[in-house]
Amino acid sequence: MIKINENYLKLEASYLFADIAKRVAAFQRAHPGRQVIKLGIGDVTRPLPAACIQAFHTAIDEMARAETFRGYGPEQGYEFLREKIAQHDFQARGANIAADEIFVSDGAKCDNGNIQEVFATDITVAIPDPVYPVYLDTNVMAGRTGAFVDGRYQGVVYMDGTRKNGFVPALPEAEVGLIYLCFPNNPTGATIGKAQLKQWVDFARARKAIILYDAAYEIFIRDPDLPHSIYEIEGAAEVAVEFRSFSKMAGFTGTRCAYSVVPKACTAYTAAGEPQPVHALWHRRHTTKFNGVSYPVQRAAAAVYSSEGLAQCRELSDYYLRNAKLIRNELSDLGYACIGGDNSPYIWVDCRMDSWKFFDLLLEKANVVCTPGVGFGRCGAGYVRISAFNDHEKVQLAMERIRNVLRAA
Ligand code: MLT
């Protein structure tokens, strides 16, 4: 008799965004005449930057000729892309990251979900609440948690994000092995300064823990004092793995390209306390289970770092930030406390009621989709997340509808 991984039975029946999509589809079936505006899942709507499109076309043409055709590439990514990433995203900011510490992949979601596989099952994981559900769910799947009781998995160290701490949780008091951090934050849009981030790095070094730092929304940072990478903090390379994505940076949600940074200095330990480089473990995993991102996609990603590509990506992120500002201003004017939206495409709104009720109100009366905060964890109850990823005209229309509904409510 074949047996299942029973850890899966501890999970909620469906992934948050799949659940929302199902509800929205049911609403659309019931009201086929209504034009629903989606500000729920953070999916981009604008076309790829012209520099990326051009590089894509050129690479496809190379694949069409025998002399320039390419089969399997290096699993970790082509040198031409890894070099550019290391130089532009890290070395230019004073972070000493080398090209061979970059692992190109098909998504930060996959990397975030896969990385925990190289750590022991019996470690304790510290996870913020509210949180991007992937961090938590993949640890549940791996058997690092107990049952789901009262909105929380037993055995997880939850780090509460509240209005009081500006949704930047305090350092955990418990003994923890893996710590998940995400800045600019998904879902709250909160950011972290260098001094505060240094406290986390120092904490991880003192405890021999590892920080999994998700910086997928780095492109939206405008405040010059905010760190773009955890490696801007001294000593972070010993204790941190960082995740980045071209999804939000260059509109690659449907194109798929991301990367993780695993510095050679980053160290974890055997049960006997022997130090082991995480780089070697991740390298082994990546080269065994992954066959690389396609050549044209990597060429398109490399074009992000050309002078035109950089300018076009900046323009793209400015476009979504303009939406974010509009959303935040409108909701604030209506008297709702908001955070995020200035260095982030997400606006976290205190909706002053049950977050699913607010979700239903917006869907049914304004025909606008948001994401209920409680879907990101217990501390998200009473909040919703509104995403700035949509066309500006649609965001304007959504805000007009929301204004009418909330004024009348
Ligand atoms: C989100 O809406 O939280 C993101 O789009 C999810 C993701 O990037 O996987």
Side-chain angles (χ1 to χ4, degrees), residues 119-190:
F119 302 106
T121 311
D122 61 356
I123 55 167
T124 303
V125 178
I127 294 191
D129 178 352
V131 75
Y132 178 45
V134 174
Y135 313 152
L136 186 57
D137 289 2
T138 53
N139 276 289
V140 175
M141 291 169 179
R144 286 199 189 87
T145 73
F148 191 62
V149 179
D150 220 4
R152 288 195 159 174
Y153 288 96
Q154 291 175 329
V156 172
V157 172
Y158 285 91
M159 305 185 290
D160 288 356
T162 60
R163 194 202 293 215
K164 203 162 156 220
N165 62 22
F167 292 93
V168 180
L171 299 169
E173 279 164 21
E175 201 56 43
V176 296
L178 263 192
I179 302 162
Y180 285 82
L181 293 179
C182 171
F183 291 106
N185 187 259
N186 179 14
T188 67

Side-chain angles (χ1 to χ4, degrees), residues 196-215:
Q196 223 171 351
L197 189 53
K198 183 176 180 317
Q199 289 175 5
W200 285 93
V201 169
D202 292 346
F203 174 84
R205 291 176 81 190
R207 304 287 181 98
K208 294 191 169 158
I210 282 188
I211 298 171
L212 300 179
Y213 193 75
D214 188 346

Side-chain angles (χ1 to χ4, degrees), residues 85-356:
I85 291 170
Q87 280 162 20
H88 181 272
D89 290 349
F90 300 99
Q91 293 159 12
R93 293 195 171 275
N96 191 18
I97 295 295
D100 63 357
E101 295 174 312
I102 309 288
F103 293 82
V104 177
S105 77
D106 60 351
K109 178 180 181 175
C110 322
D111 286 348
N112 268 300
N114 290 329
I115 189 80
Q116 42 83 25
E117 174 184 324
V118 305
F119 302 106
T121 311
D122 61 356
I123 55 167
T124 303
V125 178
I127 294 191
D129 178 352
V131 75
Y132 178 45
V134 174
Y135 313 152
L136 186 57
D137 289 2
T138 53
N139 276 289
V140 175
M141 291 169 179
R144 286 199 189 87
T145 73
F148 191 62
V149 179
D150 220 4
R152 288 195 159 174
Y153 288 96
Q154 291 175 329
V156 172
V157 172
Y158 285 91
M159 305 185 290
D160 288 356
T162 60
R163 194 202 293 215
K164 203 162 156 220
N165 62 22
F167 292 93
V168 180
L171 299 169
E173 279 164 21
E175 201 56 43
V176 296
L178 263 192
I179 302 162
Y180 285 82
L181 293 179
C182 171
F183 291 106
N185 187 259
N186 179 14
T188 67
T191 54
I192 193 165
K194 279 190 184 156
Q196 223 171 351
L197 189 53
K198 183 176 180 317
Q199 289 175 5
W200 285 93
V201 169
D202 292 346
F203 174 84
R205 291 176 81 190
R207 304 287 181 98
K208 294 191 169 158
I210 282 188
I211 298 171
L212 300 179
Y213 193 75
D214 188 346
Y217 297 91
E218 171 275 338
I219 186 85
F220 297 98
I221 294 175
R222 291 294 179 273
D223 180 339
D225 292 332
L226 293 175
H228 289 240
S229 163
I230 195 167
Y231 305 118
E232 290 176 46
I233 310 298
E234 202 190 325
E238 294 161 29
V239 291
V241 170
E242 182 166 311
F243 304 97
R244 294 278 190 103
S245 171
F246 291 91
S247 283
K248 319 288 154 98
M249 186 211 274
F252 273 48
T253 56
T255 308
R256 312 306 306 148
C257 196
Y259 66 88
S260 49
V261 187
V262 187
K264 294 210 176 119
C266 184
T267 305
Y269 301 84
T270 64
E274 280 290 314
Q276 293 288 329
V278 178
H279 185 276
L281 305 179
W282 183 244
H283 184 276
R284 186 68 169 88
R285 190 235 170 252
H286 200 75
T287 52
T288 305
K289 293 195 173 182
F290 187 61
N291 247 345
V293 173
S294 81
Y295 173 70
V297 169
Q298 290 194 59
R299 279 288 180 204
V304 161
Y305 300 103
S306 63
S307 54
E308 307 80 43
L310 289 169
Q312 289 159 5
C313 288
R314 174 76 184 202
E315 206 178 301
L316 197 56
S317 54
D318 279 344
Y319 182 95
Y320 293 123
L321 281 172
R322 180 166 160 241
N323 289 347
K325 191 170 177 189
L326 173 67
I327 296 167
R328 185 174 168 145
N329 287 348
E330 286 283 348
L331 268 300
S332 301
D333 284 352
L334 287 162
Y336 290 84
C338 301
I339 77 155
D342 33 16
N343 295 284
S344 152
Y346 296 129
I347 299 90
W348 186 244
V349 185
D350 180 347
C351 62
R352 308 194 301 242
M353 65 167 86
D354 174 87
S355 44
W356 277 110

Side-chain angles (χ1 to χ4, degrees), residues 38-39 42-45 217 220 248 320 345-346 387-390:
K38 294 182 181 167
L39 305 179
D43 193 6
V44 296
T45 59
Y217 297 91
F220 297 98
K248 319 288 154 98
Y320 293 123
Y346 296 129
S387 156
F389 291 114
N390 210 324

